Amino acid sequence: MLKKLSFGLLVTTLVLVVVIVIGVQFTAPQQPARDSPSAKWLAEGPYQPQQAEMLFVDSSRATDANGEFAGAPHRSLPSAIWYPKNAGGPYPLILYSHGFRSSRDETKYLLAQLASHGYVVLAANYPLTSGAAPGGANANDVSNQPEDITFLIDSVLALSDSDKPFEGEIDSNRIGLMGLSLGGLTTSLTSYHPRLREPRVKAAVSIAGPSEFLSKKFYDQSGVTIPFLMIAASADRLILHNSNAAVIPKRVTNGSLLTIVGGNHIGFVNMAEPVLRFFHNSDFIACAAVLASVDPETDEVFTDLLSEADGIVADPNAPKLCAEPKPPASGHPGRQHMITQIGMLSFFESVFGNSLETRSEGKAVLQRHLAEDFDEANFQLADRVAGVK
C-alpha cells in the first residue's frame, strides 16, 4: 500500500513539474526583433561578469537603536562588487541601493549586465533597511544612507593590491547611482539633497523611487544638473506612477522618465521572472512586505527628512499605500526586465560611454529605439535641460 502511495505521489509530482515547465515555455516573454537596436543592447556585453564579497565597516558613524536592537558603534555594510573580467579599466563606478526589506541581490540581472559592459558595481546591504536588519527593517534609516554611499565610494576608491578584486582603476569622474524603491529615494537624496548629496555623482537612476514629497525646489536649490532617469511602472500599487514618476520631467532639470506601461513594483526584482508571470498583479506581495513594517494610516516614515527649507514636504492628501481596491492588471515581468535593462544601460552609456559614438548610440536607444521596439515603453524628456531656457 505504501509503495502504491509513494509511486502515485511520484507520478503526480512529475506531472506537475512537466506542466510547470510547459507553462513557463509557452508563456515566455516575446523578444525584440533580432536585428533591432534593443536586441543589441539587451545582449550581454563583451566581458564576463564576476562577483566578489566584501565587508565595509564605517567606524566613524553609529547604527541607531532599532526595536529590540540596542544599536552599534559602527555601520556595517556587507557588500558585493560586480566587475568585468580582464577588462583593464579605467571603469565607471555605479553604487546600487536596494529596496525596503530587501537586499543587494534583488536585481542581479541589472548588476551583472553593467559589469559585462565594463562597469564596476557596488551593492551593499544597508544596516537598518534590509530584510536582515536587526530589530526589523526601519524605513526612516534612509536618511543615513547617503552618508553610507559616500563612505562606500571612498572605500572602493581606496582599494589596492590584493584587496581589490578587479584589475585596473576606477575613473573617479564617472561615478553614478542606481536604486530600486527605497533605494531610488536614497539615490535622489544622495544626488540632490542640500546637505546629504555626494558631489562626485555624475548620473543617477531611480527605479520606482518614492518622490511625491520631493518638490521642484528640492531638485533646484543645490544647482545640480546631472542627468537623471526615473524608470517607473504604470501599474505600480506601492509607488503610484501619477504622483511619484509622472512629475519628474517637470521637476528635475535634465531629468527624464521611462515608463513601463503595465509594469508593476515587484516586477523589477529577480524573482518576478518567471515566478510571478501568472498573477493579475503581483504587487500584493510588495504591499504585504511593506505594510507589515509601516502603518498605512499614520504613514510615519521619512519624518526626519521633512523640511520646507529643503523642499521636502509631505502631501496630506497623498493616496495611502496600496489602497487601490482594484489594481490594474500587470504585464509580463520578463518584458519589464528587458525594458529596465536596456533603459538603464543605454542611460549610463549615454553619459559614461568610452566614445562619442557609444554615448550617441546610448542616447538614441533610450530616447527613440526602445519605444519603437517595445509597445510598453514610453520615454519622456525633461521640460528643462541644463543650459537651455
Side-chain angles (χ1 to χ4, degrees), residues 145-344:
Q145 292 180 179
E147 290 182 84
D148 289 333
I149 288 180
T150 291
F151 168 74
L152 290 169
I153 291 174
D154 290 340
S155 299
V156 174
L157 293 180
L159 289 175
S160 61
D161 301 329
S162 60
D163 292 333
K164 186 171 60 175
F166 51 87
E167 298 177 355
E169 303 300 325
I170 298 294
D171 184 348
S172 60
N173 292 314
R174 292 190 292 168
I175 296 177
L177 304 181
M178 176 173 66
L180 170 62
S181 194
L182 190 68
L185 174 58
T186 301
T187 293
S188 296
L189 294 174
T190 312
S191 300
Y192 294 98
H193 195 281
R195 291 176 303 284
L196 302 176
R197 74 182 185 90
E198 170 49 67
R200 290 172 291 186
V201 172
K202 297 299 191 295
V205 176
S206 173
I207 304 174
S211 58
E212 63 185 5
F213 43 84
L214 303 179
S215 68
K216 182 175 176 292
K217 177 181 179 179
F218 168 79
Y219 294 104
D220 282 350
Q221 61 190 330
S222 296
V224 177
T225 58
I226 63 171
F228 177 87
L229 174 66
M230 172 71 79
I231 302 178
S234 69
D236 191 325
R237 291 188 63 203
L238 189 63
I239 307 299
L240 298 181
H241 184 275
N242 286 344
S243 53
N244 292 279
V247 299
I248 293 298
K250 294 187 178 298
R251 292 184 184 177
V252 186
T253 300
N254 273 2
S256 52
L257 170 64
L258 174 59
T259 297
I260 303 172
V261 179
N264 65 355
H265 196 80
I266 204 168
F268 288 110
V269 304
N270 296 312
M271 67 171 285
E273 173 58 19
V275 177
L276 303 180
R277 287 181 187 175
F278 309 101
F279 290 92
H280 173 78
N281 188 321
S282 53
D283 270 353
F284 69 89
I285 299 173
C287 286
V290 171
L291 296 182
S293 300
V294 175
D295 186 338
E297 295 301 322
T298 60
D299 202 19
E300 293 181 352
V301 292
F302 318 137
T303 51
D304 59 334
L305 288 170
L306 298 178
S307 165
E308 289 190 10
D310 293 337
I312 305 177
V313 183
D315 179 1
N317 299 314
K320 297 298 181 182
L321 294 175
C322 302
E324 193 170 7
K326 294 183 178 180
S330 55
H332 198 299
R335 297 274 288 183
Q336 183 168 339
H337 279 197
M338 292 181 204
I339 296 169
T340 305
Q341 280 183 263
I342 299 167
M344 170 211 64

